[in-house]
Every structure is written in structure tokens, then in C-alpha cells.
């Protein structure tokens, strides 16, 4: 299966990008990296005969790969042109999701991501940017109360005359 995936990946890489790198991944699949476009495509085995799992994603700044944004099962007996068309549509979806958010838009969520259940969204504060962790006034009040209780307890033990 690896030989068939490698051969198909080499043909696809030549059709899709002038500059590319083809290598084997851990799971037995083949990855095509297009450094100049910041995208990657992976062909992996699915368990079915003459079928492959085609996944696409983007490359991060450090050269690492981001998780796959889109995936589809393809028939390897289809021609290279048909597979290239499927790859182009997946890459177009990845590019649409990976578009940078304009600076004035605030915190917009990307279309492909979902919020975790039970998690409240944080509201962005337009006033001041946070530069680090700050101890708030409420935290100081709690510390003051703890110190007062500790002081009262110590006074009750050692502060009374006669001991």
C-alpha cells in the first residue's frame, strides 16, 4: 500500500506545486509539503483497497504542521487530474479557514472551530492591554482577611495576660 501511496503522492506533488517535499509519515502514509504556499497534503491508508484518506492542513511559522482542517476518502484508481482537483478544493478550504483576522475585528472565531461546552467566552477588554499577571484588589482583601484571622488566633493563644 505504501508504494502505491508514494507513487500517487509523487504524481500529485508534480501537478500541484513546483516546489514540494514528499516524505513518509509515522502512520504509513505520505505527506506532500508545499513550503512556499504554507500548506500540506497527506495520503494515508484507510483499510479499504485502492482507497486513501486525503487530509489537508497548513504549515505553522516554525515549520511544524497544524492539525488537518479537512479530510476526505478518495479512490486511488481515479486519474491524477481528478485527485488533483480534490486536493485543490481541500487546499482552498484550508486557505479560507486560515485567512488572518483584520486587526479591528476583535476576537472573531474561525469557521471550523467550535467552543467547548461549559466554557464561557471571555470578553475582550478594549481599554488597557494586559502585560502580565496582576494581583487584584479582591486578592489583597482575601489575604488581609486571612492575616486578620491568623492574628486573632495567635492573640487568643499568646496575647492574654496570665499565661
Amino acid at each position: 500500500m505504501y508504494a502505491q501511496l508514494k507513487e500517487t503522492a509523487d504524481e500529485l506533488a508534480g501537478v500541484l506545486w513546483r516546489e514540494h517535499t514528499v516524505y513518509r509519515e509515522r502512520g504509513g502514509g505520505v505527506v506532500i509539503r508545499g513550503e512556499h504556499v504554507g500548506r500540506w497534503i497527506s495520503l494515508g491508508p484507510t483499510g479499504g483497497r485502492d482507497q486513501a484518506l486525503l487530509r489537508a492542513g497548513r504549515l505553522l511559522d516554525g515549520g511544524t504542521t497544524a492539525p488537518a482542517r479537512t479530510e476526505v476518502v478518495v479512490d486511488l484508481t481515479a486519474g491524477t487530474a481528478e485527485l488533483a482537483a480534490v486536493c485543490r478544493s481541500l487546499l482552498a478550504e484550508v486557505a479560507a479557514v486560515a485567512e488572518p483576522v483584520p486587526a479591528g475585528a476583535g476576537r472573531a472565531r474561525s469557521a471550523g472551530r467550535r467552543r467547548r461546552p461549559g466554557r464561557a467566552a471571555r470578553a475582550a477588554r478594549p481599554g488597557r492591554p494586559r502585560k502580565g499577571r496582576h494581583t487584584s484588589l479582591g486578592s489583597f482583601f482575601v489575604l488581609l482577611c486571612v492575616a486578620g484571622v491568623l492574628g486573632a488566633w495567635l492573640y487568643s493563644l499568646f496575647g492574654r495576660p496570665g499565661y
Side-chain angles (χ1 to χ4, degrees), residues 73-115:
V73 175
V74 294
D75 187 17
L76 293 178
T77 58
T80 306
E82 289 85 6
L83 291 175
V86 172
C87 288
R88 286 187 183 109
S89 68
L90 290 179
L91 290 169
E93 289 179 30
V94 169
V97 171
E99 288 295 319
V101 178
R107 289 184 164 190
R109 287 186 12 225
S110 61
R113 297 185 69 190
R114 285 184 243 162
R115 184 177 293 140

Side-chain angles (χ1 to χ4, degrees), residues 47-72:
R49 187 171 179 92
D50 293 331
Q51 289 185 339
L53 177 64
L54 184 67
R55 301 179 317 156
R58 62 187 181 95
L59 298 176
L60 301 176
D61 291 335
T64 59
T65 58
R69 294 283 186 166
T70 58
E71 58 184 34
V72 67

Side-chain angles (χ1 to χ4, degrees), residues 15 19 21 23-24 29 31 40 45 47 54 59 61 64 81 111 128 130 132-133 138 140 142 147 160:
V15 171
E19 302 171 22
T21 305
Y23 62 91
R24 184 176 182 171
V31 177
W40 61 267
L54 184 67
L59 298 176
D61 291 335
T64 59
R128 59 172 191 217
R130 291 193 74 159
R133 292 189 175 233
F140 281 123
V142 169
R160 291 188 290 194

